[in-house]
């Protein structure tokens, strides 16, 4: 399953570590992950949103980090994912998957 990773970036100094750690966890569980935290610096906010929404449209689902509701961009991504009919996953779903496979 191709999954888009969504959460708060703007205003979070540790966003790269947070996104990268979850991306690695999701990959270990077998997901193909689009991680927006790997995009280069220097673009405008709306440029990032265009890139992110395009990437989201190629995925089967969206994974919402715990702080996604604190991010206007992540809220936009969530709303787009719902319109596209994508599966919505959270940390609770990941831990449920781990329990089922144990």
């Amino acid at each position: 399953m191709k999954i888009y990773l969504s959460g708060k970036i703007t205003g979070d100094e540790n966003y790269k570590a947070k996104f990268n750690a979850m991306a690695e966890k999701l990959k270990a569980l077998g997901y193909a992950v689009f991680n927006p935290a790997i995009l280069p610096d220097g673009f405008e906010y709306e440029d990032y949103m265009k890139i992110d929404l395009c990437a989201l449209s190629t995925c089967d689902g969206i994974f919402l980090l715990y702080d996604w509701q604190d991010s206007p961009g992540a809220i936009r991504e969530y709303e787009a994912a719902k319109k596209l009919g994508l599966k919505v996953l959270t940390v609770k779903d990941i831990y449920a998957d781990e329990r089922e496979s144990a």
Side-chain angles (χ1 to χ4, degrees), residues 1 3-9 12 14-38 62-68 89-98:
M1 173 186 238
I3 195 140
Y4 179 90
L5 188 53
S6 182
K8 183 176 180 176
I9 291 179
D12 183 345
N14 298 313
Y15 78 91
K16 286 186 180 187
K18 172 182 68 179
F19 273 72
N20 291 338
M22 185 54 72
E24 290 306 313
K25 181 160 189 64
L26 291 167
K27 288 177 190 176
L29 292 170
Y31 293 97
V33 180
F34 182 88
N35 177 1
I38 65 166
I62 186 170
F63 182 89
L64 302 171
L65 290 164
Y66 66 90
D67 59 357
W68 75 274
L89 299 170
T90 66
V91 173
K92 290 178 184 178
D93 298 309
I94 296 307
Y95 289 114
D97 286 349
E98 285 183 341

Side-chain angles (χ1 to χ4, degrees), residues 4 34 49-59:
Y4 179 90
F34 182 88
M49 289 306 304
K50 287 177 188 175
I51 294 166
D52 293 344
L53 292 172
C54 181
L56 175 66
S57 73
T58 69
C59 292

Side-chain angles (χ1 to χ4, degrees), residues 72-85:
I75 291 169
R76 284 172 64 183
E77 292 163 353
Y78 168 75
E79 291 170 353
K82 293 295 282 183
K83 285 181 183 174
L84 292 167

